[in-house]
Amino acid sequence: MSDLLKGNFTTKKQVSAPSETANEDSLETKFKKAALNSIGGSMVYVERTDLTWDGEE
Amino acid sequence: MAKILFINPVVREEDVPRHIPYGIALLAAIAMKKGHLVQVYDANAHRLPIETIIEVCQADDWDAVCIGGLTTTYNYIKKACKLIKESAPNAQLIAGGGFLTSMPHEIFEWIPEIDVGCIGESFETFPEVLAKIDNKDFNYADVLGVIHRDLTGKSFLTNVRPNIKDLDTLPWPAWELFPLDIYFANSANLFSEESFTSKRRMDINGSFGCGLTCKYCWHLGTTGDMLVEENEHGDNDVVFTYGRNIRYHSADYIVSMVKHLHDKYDIDFAAFIDENLMTMDVASKGTWLKDLCNKWIEAGLQPTCRQKGIPHDENCKGVHWNGTSHAGLHRPETLKLMFEAGCTHLVYGLESFDPTVLRNLGKGSNARKNKQSIATCLASGIKPIPNIIIGFPEESFESVRNTIEALVELGITAKPHFATAYPGSEWYYAYKDSIMEQYDNDLEAYIMDLGDASKITATISHEFSPMQLLGLQQIVYLKDLRLLDLSEKHWAPVQHELSPMIQPKLSFNLKTVKEAGPLAS
Ligand code: SF4
């Protein structure tokens, strides 16, 4: 049974939501959202994927 | 019969999906009524990677893939159209909704994959386009209310489609084609205790239009405010006016629809997404809302807490509701009846408490009415939700002070939105040149940046820079008159030495006259 498409007939192919990712943010994404929502004071968020500096000057 | 796929784009990525798309659900119902084969992929509800569209497009041999939404969905739609055309090259790609109606030629240039677009009200345009596709006739030049292309890709706009006269001839939206459980899980919101505890909320649209002319507002071409005329290059283009074809559903239509939703889906809350319930009530000479409330109660939809005059709790049965109001147009006796019928909160676009700002806004309200509206609404038992904006073209330290003083007096805490010139609005046409300047002449970059006005995109304040507006937003939120005084002391002496950031201009696309588009006979 297709769970991503809803209609008044049956499509040739079924399309289902990938079970692991459907409606689920990864823990990292959930954490980022929560952290960004509470930024202020000493609370900061550092984007871990954006830093390209390798420590060499 | 044509095989049609509807795609509902992701809206407000930063928030959870909250609204079943009323327009798409209605068009899906119309298409099914005409006998077409219809499927819906609700990307907003599922929030899967955008590439899922490829799989969806390959699920069948679609004759048409349809996508549409407001301007704020532009980013998603642009990426989606590319994937749709690659994975369903034989299907006609149809677009519609506010994002297209406000700037049809630009959108056709930026998204070359779109084959045909429905402009403005599409209840009759869309089935006509589908009938053409069904007959494999892809020449849309004789369909009113569309934008289409010639073989070179150049876009053409046909003449304006008359608005339908009787809204009650419309079927109910095809809610059953949407993943309702996802929307129900996000029913609750923070506007009132009743909406905070809502478990199964659905949206209702009772009317089209509003008689007022706020300069930041536009009506998606669905209210008789849109004409099509030749521009300076001799091409048909959209022109917006103060014209109105005010239309509303009968109370019977609305109440039987809500009764159906209550019986079938057990809804406990109906959110009216109408532009302005009160201007509709005025258009009906004060009869529409009264009729609606009386019939709501007669149909057994009145919540038990209101029936018994007891506080709302989890045992309450019935359907609460909310809508939009206007500071100068609500009447205490109507509000009282609305409360009895289950109305919990009303959104008031008060925007400002400054006389100059309000006079120029076209809202038909003033600072006194704005202040009174809060007390009058509270007295009825309904919660007022006032919207506040800063960054108006004529915003000044004085106007901000007037707003803060009123917020203090009324006990309102608000983090104001920023005045934003959405395409289609009067502000957009007046400030288009300044907006382009602020985005390095890349209009598409501006469109991609637009959100829900909680951030600054292009500034339209003549006096304040983005830096100042960000500070003023925080000062209004804190209601801190001391910080405002200090800022004024520091800035005001130099402010008049600076050249204005922004200059308004006259535009072909806007006529400030009450010239309405055609209405079907
Ligand atoms: S009152 Fe509301 S709906 Fe009417 S023009 Fe103003 S903003 Fe738009």
Side-chain angles (χ1 to χ4, degrees):
Chain A
M1 183 55 193
S2 169
D3 59 3
L4 282 190
L5 283 173
K6 283 187 162 210
N8 61 355
F9 74 105
T10 308
T11 51
K12 288 185 179 164
K13 285 189 214 152
Q14 308 293 299
V15 191
S16 303
S19 52
E20 275 169 26
T21 54
N23 297 321
E24 262 307 307
D25 280 342
S26 67
L27 180 58
E28 188 183 336
T29 313
K30 273 189 201 159
F31 170 72
K32 178 177 173 175
K33 274 191 194 161
L36 286 175
N37 281 336
S38 40
I39 292 294
S42 59
M43 178 67 215
V44 297
Y45 178 78
V46 180
E47 196 78 54
R48 290 176 232 177
T49 48
D50 282 3
L51 188 67
T52 50
W53 180 58
D54 62 3
E56 300 291 322
E57 282 287 343
Chain B
M1 282 294 141
K3 264 189 192 169
I4 306 156
L5 169 66
F6 284 91
I7 297 181
N8 180 34
V10 173
V11 188
R12 301 192 80 225
E13 240 167 286
E14 68 284 5
D15 196 8
V16 291
R18 291 187 186 277
H19 303 281
I20 301 159
Y22 204 87
I24 295 179
L26 205 41
L27 292 175
I30 290 171
M32 288 197 291
K33 215 174 150 197
K34 295 273 180 195
H36 296 292
L37 299 172
V38 171
Q39 293 283 338
V40 171
Y41 169 54
D42 190 340
N44 187 45
H46 292 295
R47 300 289 169 102
L48 294 165
I50 193 164
E51 290 72 27
T52 310
I53 284 180
I54 299 171
E55 219 184 315
V56 166
C57 284
Q58 291 169 346
D60 217 311
D61 306 319
W62 307 107
D63 296 301
V65 180
C66 313
I67 194 161
L70 295 174
T71 301
T72 45
T73 57
Y74 177 73
N75 286 347
Y76 186 93
I77 289 178
K78 180 166 168 117
K79 288 183 209 142
C81 285
K82 205 163 183 323
L83 296 174
I84 293 167
K85 214 45 183 180
E86 280 165 11
S87 43
N90 298 326
Q92 287 284 291
L93 178 45
I94 310 177
F99 91 104
L100 179 68
T101 297
S102 59
M103 42 188 348
H105 287 294
E106 284 97 338
I107 297 290
F108 256 49
E109 190 190 325
W110 298 335
I111 312 184
E113 294 86 6
I114 302 175
D115 294 301
V116 56
C118 298
I119 304 297
E121 186 172 284
S122 299
F123 304 130
E124 290 188 346
T125 312
F126 181 63
E128 272 188 35
V129 169
L130 292 180
K132 286 234 159 212
I133 292 172
D134 218 5
N135 293 328
K136 305 274 178 274
D137 169 8
F138 305 129
N139 177 4
Y140 304 103
D142 57 348
V143 181
L144 288 180
V146 297
I147 181 162
H148 61 110
R149 300 179 192 277
D150 66 9
L151 289 175
T152 69
K154 180 174 160 48
S155 53
F156 293 94
L157 200 57
T158 62
N159 277 332
V160 68
R161 159 86 51 186
N163 292 138
I164 63 168
K165 200 166 189 176
D166 182 3
L167 291 187
D168 283 4
T169 55
L170 294 173
W172 291 342
W175 302 282
E176 68 280 9
L177 303 189
F178 294 81
L180 299 181
D181 286 348
I182 296 178
Y183 289 105
F184 286 149
N186 301 314
S187 287
N189 58 41
L190 288 171
F191 295 126
S192 61
E193 286 80 355
E194 297 88 340
S195 65
F196 182 55
T197 51
S198 159
K199 304 252 175 329
R200 298 172 87 82
R201 170 181 51 81
M202 282 170 101
D203 296 342
I204 306 293
N205 188 46
S207 63
F208 283 113
C210 161
L212 299 163
T213 57
C214 299
K215 291 182 170 37
Y216 55 84
C217 185
W218 84 294
H219 313 272
L220 320 178
T222 62
T223 66
D225 61 329
M226 190 182 79
L227 307 172
V228 169
E229 294 183 356
E230 269 188 19
N231 63 19
E232 63 271 31
H233 311 296
D235 294 327
N236 273 358
D237 202 351
V238 286
V239 177
F240 297 100
T241 71
Y242 291 170
R244 296 287 186 272
N245 294 325
I246 296 280
R247 294 159 300 154
Y248 43 89
H249 281 295
S250 65
D252 283 324
Y253 178 100
I254 297 170
V255 168
S256 58
M257 185 159 99
V258 176
K259 182 93 176 73
H260 166 78
L261 293 176
H262 184 50
D263 294 345
K264 182 156 184 195
Y265 300 113
D266 196 20
I267 66 162
D268 57 10
F269 206 99
F272 279 84
I273 54 172
D274 300 46
E275 288 191 273
N276 197 317
L277 293 180
M278 295 303 161
T279 59
M280 287 301 129
D281 202 45
V282 170
S284 72
K285 302 199 168 41
T287 58
W288 186 58
L289 280 173
K290 288 198 185 103
D291 204 18
L292 184 65
C293 292
N294 287 329
K295 291 199 162 128
W296 195 280
I297 295 169
E298 273 166 33
L301 295 168
Q302 182 188 31
T304 44
C305 66
R306 300 291 164 89
Q307 206 181 330
K308 296 180 182 159
I310 55 171
H312 174 74
D313 64 18
E314 66 279 4
N315 300 317
C316 187
K317 298 268 177 293
V319 183
H320 285 280
W321 53 283
N322 81 284
T324 43
S325 191
H326 184 280
L329 301 178
H330 63 192
R331 300 279 168 269
E333 66 280 13
T334 311
L335 292 176
K336 189 170 166 281
L337 189 55
M338 289 165 74
F339 176 80
E340 270 169 32
C343 181
T344 64
H345 62 278
L346 287 169
V347 176
Y348 287 78
L350 300 185
E351 328 306 10
S352 169
F353 289 87
D354 180 68
T356 312
V357 166
L358 287 170
R359 195 168 44 246
N360 293 345
L361 194 59
K363 176 136 239 153
S365 187
N366 57 39
R368 184 182 53 82
K369 283 189 201 164
N370 270 5
K371 282 187 191 169
Q372 275 175 354
S373 70
I374 299 294
T376 310
C377 187
L378 280 172
S380 72
I382 297 172
K383 288 203 165 47
I385 309 294
N387 269 331
I388 303 295
I389 298 176
I390 60 161
F392 292 94
E394 55 287 279
E395 195 80 86
S396 62
F397 284 108
E398 180 61 17
S399 65
V400 175
R401 180 172 295 105
N402 283 333
T403 292
I404 296 179
E405 281 172 354
L407 296 180
V408 172
E409 187 185 331
L410 298 167
I412 297 171
T413 298
K415 192 165 186 186
H417 288 290
F418 293 107
T420 303
Y422 288 102
S425 69
E426 188 167 342
W427 276 348
Y428 173 75
Y429 296 111
Y431 293 103
K432 195 168 169 190
D433 287 351
S434 302
I435 293 168
M436 298 277 280
E437 240 175 79
Q438 293 175 61
Y439 279 83
D440 285 337
N441 283 319
D442 184 350
L443 190 59
E444 191 184 15
Y446 172 62
I447 303 303
M448 291 183 124
D449 207 17
L450 284 170
D452 67 354
S454 49
K455 67 169 186 175
I456 296 181
T457 51
T459 305
I460 58 163
S461 165
H462 297 187
E463 195 164 320
F464 293 121
S465 69
M467 176 185 80
Q468 289 168 300
L469 289 176
L470 281 169
L472 287 171
Q473 184 197 42
Q474 187 69 7
I475 286 173
V476 174
Y477 171 58
L478 297 171
K479 292 175 267 192
D480 196 328
L481 288 165
R482 185 184 68 85
L483 289 183
L484 184 73
D485 288 345
L486 282 175
S487 310
E488 183 173 18
K489 202 167 150 197
H490 186 65
W491 270 101
V494 290
Q495 202 97 359
H496 67 271
E497 304 285 337
L498 303 170
S499 53
M501 297 246 338
I502 308 298
Q503 302 273 9
K505 65 160 192 177
L506 287 177
S507 151
F508 156 81
N509 299 87
L510 190 89
K511 279 193 190 169
T512 53
V513 293
K514 289 205 162 173
E515 185 181 342
L519 185 63
S521 48

